[in-house]
Amino acid sequence: MTPEPCVPQTDASGRELTEHGTTLFPVGCYHDDLNQFSVPWHWHDELEAFFVSEGQVFAAVGTAKLTLRQGEGLFINAGILHSVQKAGSGGCRLHSLVFHPRLAGGSMDSVFWQNYVHPLIRNKRLEYVLLNSSDTWEKEALESIEGAWQSYTLKSSGYEFQVRSALSWLLFLLSKHCPPGTLLPSEKALRDSARAKLMLQYIQEHFSEEISTAQIAACAGISESECLRCFRSIIGVPPVRYLRQYRIQQAAALLASGRQRIAEIGAQCGFSDTSYFTKIFREQTGCTPSEYRRSFTLS
């Protein structure tokens, strides 16, 4: 059984609302084909770890811009703004797990939580860890991620123990080899990240309306030029382009799950002109809205 892709549903601040796993077993296991759609900017209280199973991936984590190749992986700490998209040509796939810290840490009065998990998630110096096979411990960490993913996918008897064991060992390796000595993000980087969250919140609340760069800048109390600089620093694209991408992502979700007319979906997502909506949708997805909807009907 192949896991489903992770399609984040977020609130107005970009905080993910998707429930990963269940209360009894709080871990979600996903298989993302980034040729179909990128993972948009979001953040969540859970930890995330992924392994590039095919191609190259571009990951933006806070102000960091990272390119990962097949066989490499990434750990993202709780509460960190991030996005993932395809890099290069050819296939591009991820094996990812999003899990609550208590899966490995247990209760707050346990030795696992107090000595290993809590210090890791409270370490503001540790936004992410890029993993490759250059060091023995990183190779072991990658094996833990892929092992947890495979165990979850196969779901053989007792797989819950195997998943928890692999993710617990991953956190132990991270806590041992990534001490708090890492440099703190600069004040400027922290300020830009906080402003970006405010501006993303504004866009996600008003994406169906006509909004300008000036309005986006005003919500964070900054000038238009500072808004453009901050967006390029954190998000990597100007705010108008991000708004257009976000509108298309919302439209795609409606096309896949709803029966509204295409013109109605376009208007609901901020495109008053259906022809322009179709043009932008094709540019970003490689197909028209009708073709995109039909692909879900036929699958």
Side-chain angles (χ1 to χ4, degrees):
M1 176 180 177
T2 302
E4 295 294 318
C6 183
V7 183
Q9 299 297 314
T10 61
D11 65 13
S13 71
R15 181 178 184 177
E16 189 175 4
L17 300 174
T18 307
E19 183 177 356
H20 300 286
T22 65
T23 302
L24 295 178
F25 193 50
V27 54
C29 180
Y30 306 102
H31 179 212
D32 291 295
D33 182 349
L34 298 182
N35 275 318
Q36 295 184 1
F37 250 110
S38 302
V39 179
W41 283 94
H42 67 289
W43 62 278
H44 41 66
D45 292 325
E46 293 87 355
L47 306 172
E48 182 169 351
F50 67 73
F51 178 94
V52 182
S53 60
E54 181 183 354
Q56 293 187 53
V57 168
F58 176 78
V61 187
T63 57
K65 307 295 186 287
L66 311 166
T67 299
L68 289 79
R69 294 172 175 78
Q70 183 173 333
E72 296 182 327
L74 191 68
F75 167 81
I76 302 172
N77 214 338
I80 304 300
L81 196 63
H82 60 282
S83 69
V84 184
Q85 61 186 11
K86 175 182 175 180
S89 59
C92 186
R93 298 175 186 270
L94 290 182
H95 292 173
S96 63
L97 298 114
V98 183
F99 59 102
H100 197 283
R102 65 182 170 82
L103 178 70
S107 64
M108 295 178 67
D109 60 352
S110 73
V111 66
F112 310 105
W113 180 270
Q114 293 184 11
N115 289 0
Y116 304 103
V117 177
H118 189 249
L120 186 73
I121 63 177
R122 296 296 296 174
N123 183 1
K124 298 304 180 184
R125 298 170 174 84
L126 189 69
E127 294 186 338
Y128 69 91
V129 180
L130 178 62
L131 301 165
N132 56 48
S133 301
S134 59
D135 289 332
T136 301
W137 82 266
E138 291 185 19
K139 182 179 179 181
E140 196 173 348
L142 288 168
E143 290 171 350
S144 295
I145 297 170
E146 186 67 358
W149 192 90
Q150 293 290 351
S151 295
Y152 193 109
T153 302
L154 294 173
K155 284 187 167 61
S156 57
S157 178
Y159 80 95
E160 298 94 341
F161 285 103
Q162 295 172 326
V163 171
R164 185 179 66 172
S165 175
L167 293 177
S168 297
W169 192 248
L170 170 66
L171 296 190
F172 166 72
L173 291 170
L174 290 166
S175 66
K176 179 180 179 181
H177 295 281
C178 301
T182 310
L183 290 176
L184 275 169
S186 68
E187 289 296 325
K188 180 174 176 293
L190 292 172
R191 184 174 62 249
D192 283 353
S193 182
R195 287 172 172 173
K197 284 185 177 181
L198 286 174
M199 291 188 285
L200 291 177
Q201 176 178 348
Y202 183 84
I203 288 173
Q204 292 166 8
E205 286 178 339
H206 300 278
F207 73 93
S208 62
E209 307 166 15
E210 287 291 331
I211 57 177
S212 65
T213 301
Q215 290 170 304
I216 296 170
C219 80
I222 56 178
S223 67
E224 287 187 58
S225 60
E226 183 65 7
C227 166
L228 290 169
R229 185 204 62 76
C230 184
F231 244 83
R232 287 187 180 279
S233 172
I234 299 292
I235 310 301
V237 297
V240 173
R241 188 183 301 178
Y242 173 80
L243 170 61
R244 194 161 57 234
Q245 292 172 346
Y246 185 78
R247 284 171 168 168
I248 293 300
Q249 288 164 355
Q250 298 307 302
L254 291 172
L255 287 165
S257 60
R259 296 183 178 179
Q260 293 172 271
R261 292 171 55 243
I262 288 173
E264 291 174 349
I265 290 175
Q268 186 176 334
C269 295
F271 296 97
S272 57
D273 185 323
T274 304
S275 297
Y276 180 67
F277 170 51
T278 300
K279 175 179 178 290
I280 298 302
F281 194 94
R282 183 191 283 118
E283 286 178 0
Q284 291 200 27
T285 67
C287 62
T288 66
S290 297
E291 291 168 341
Y292 186 82
R293 169 173 275 173
R294 193 156 50 246
S295 72
F296 281 87
T297 305
L298 297 174
S299 60

